[in-house]
Amino acid sequence: TCDVESLLRNADVAMYLSKSRGKGRFEFFEPAMHQEAVDRLDLKADLQRAIDEGEFFLHYQPIFDLATGRVTLVEALIRWRHPTRGLVMPDRFITLAEENGLIARIGEWVMREACLQTAQWQRIPGCEDISITVNLSMRQLQDIGLVNALTRALKDSGLQAHHLVLEITESMLAQDPDRSAEILGQLKTIGVKLALDDFGTGYSSLSYLRTFAVDSIKIDRSFISELHRSATSTALIDAVVNLARALGAYTVAEGIEYSDQAALLRKLGCDRG
Ligand code: MG
Ligand code: MG
């Protein structure tokens, strides 16, 4: 069917997609684009209910000390148990939550839940020093309310600030370095730790390392999976490990899947994985 109304609507959908992909370009409409747009709107509308109905939950990914094999840190990863779609991953809904302003509430929930769980683990003998690491989104990092939300989560859970790590990516810092510096400065004052996530895939800017005193650098999984096939990857990891060490930060290798990868990383002096 091609009535005027659908023609305009379809042109609009193609235009938005084109805009989102950059300036001075065009895009032909495909029926799948409309479905995708409808999908996004549906999901976006469902987010409010997801918060109210408690449909979010956290997966915890262990981070091992490569020298001792002990779990010293755990990364909290948000998941959405959608009543009809099943499991929805954050890459599908975080941007939507940033667009409709629900990200602050979702972020606050994650922080709170993660802190409470960690405080509970710390009461288990042998787990007293376990720490938690939480991912921040771009919008959270520009919202001064984050500092208050975080302070509350720490206070209510009884977790000490130095047991909480916040993960930021280089592309987040690139958006608004001044504002980010201000908020990160305040977070540092509270005593939480900072990690640079997915290092090596963004700008890998030395000036960021100078401006934002991070406590750890997470080497992106793409370098780890290449370890055995690529001498360049090995050399780069070696360089990042030494760079981090010189800055007083520790390194975390992401996405280790084989024991020989762990062995090589250990040899390169990587601290955790
Ligand atoms: Mg992360
Ligand atoms: Mg990561």
Side-chain angles (χ1 to χ4, degrees):
T1 62
C2 202
D3 52 277
V4 172
E5 205 178 308
S6 354
L7 186 64
L8 283 175
R9 187 200 63 199
N10 293 349
D12 205 40
V13 168
M15 181 191 71
Y16 271 105
L17 185 73
S18 182
K19 273 185 172 173
S20 75
R21 290 180 175 171
K23 287 196 163 82
R25 54 197 312 290
F26 65 91
E27 205 67 58
F28 286 110
F29 174 77
E30 308 266 359
M33 287 179 189
H34 177 62
Q35 195 44 52
E36 170 67 21
V38 171
D39 243 41
R40 279 174 60 88
L41 278 179
D42 282 352
L43 261 192
K44 207 169 180 175
D46 289 347
L47 275 170
Q48 179 66 49
R49 192 209 53 221
I51 299 179
D52 299 338
E53 300 291 318
E55 291 171 8
F56 293 117
F57 66 102
L58 297 180
H59 269 170
Y60 295 97
Q61 188 166 49
I63 297 175
F64 293 86
D65 186 316
L66 285 177
T68 63
R70 281 192 66 222
V71 176
T72 45
L73 183 63
V74 176
E75 180 171 359
L77 301 163
I78 189 168
R79 301 290 183 258
W80 179 3
R81 198 180 284 111
H82 192 283
T84 56
R85 292 164 189 264
L87 192 63
V88 185
M89 302 297 271
D91 56 338
R92 285 284 289 152
F93 65 83
I94 292 298
T95 321
L96 300 179
E98 289 189 320
E99 285 168 14
N100 69 8
L102 288 173
I103 192 67
R105 280 189 62 202
I106 297 175
E108 187 166 358
W109 177 84
V110 171
M111 215 96 73
R112 199 181 174 76
E113 183 74 12
C115 288
L116 284 169
Q117 176 62 70
T118 311
Q120 208 172 328
W121 280 328
Q122 287 184 345
R123 287 193 284 272
I124 301 169
C127 296
E128 293 86 352
D129 59 352
I130 201 150
S131 295
I132 186 86
T133 176
V134 175
N135 295 284
L136 289 187
S137 84
M138 186 104 71
R139 278 283 283 277
Q140 281 180 287
L141 192 57
Q142 287 159 9
D143 176 10
I144 199 70
L146 172 69
V147 181
N148 286 328
L150 207 110
T151 312
R152 268 199 306 276
L154 288 170
K155 189 165 164 277
D156 294 349
S157 62
L159 188 73
Q160 288 173 293
H162 68 271
H163 284 296
L164 175 62
V165 185
L166 299 175
E167 298 193 9
I168 46 177
T169 63
E170 298 164 291
S171 45
M172 282 165 60
L173 297 176
Q175 287 295 312
D176 191 347
D178 293 340
R179 181 112 181 104
S180 306
E182 186 193 330
I183 292 179
L184 290 178
Q186 294 203 27
L187 295 176
K188 275 279 188 183
T189 315
I190 299 173
V192 297
K193 305 289 179 188
L194 296 179
L196 202 48
D197 202 2
D198 306 333
F199 189 77
T201 56
Y203 301 85
S204 307
S205 158
L206 294 181
S207 75
Y208 288 160
L209 288 178
R210 186 184 54 200
T211 313
F212 307 100
V214 295
D215 302 279
S216 61
I217 293 178
K218 298 185 80 179
I219 307 170
D220 190 70
R221 61 176 63 238
S222 56
F223 293 94
I224 313 306
S225 60
E226 285 288 307
L227 253 185
H228 280 88
R229 270 167 289 164
S230 157
T232 313
S233 280
T234 311
L236 284 171
I237 291 173
D238 191 34
V240 173
V241 166
N242 285 306
L243 177 66
R245 195 167 282 168
L247 295 171
Y250 65 87
T251 39
V252 180
E254 299 188 308
I256 302 177
E257 293 186 19
Y258 303 101
S259 54
D260 53 349
Q261 290 173 335
L264 186 49
L265 285 161
R266 206 176 289 125
K267 221 170 88 190
L268 290 170
C270 187
D271 301 291
R272 300 177 184 189

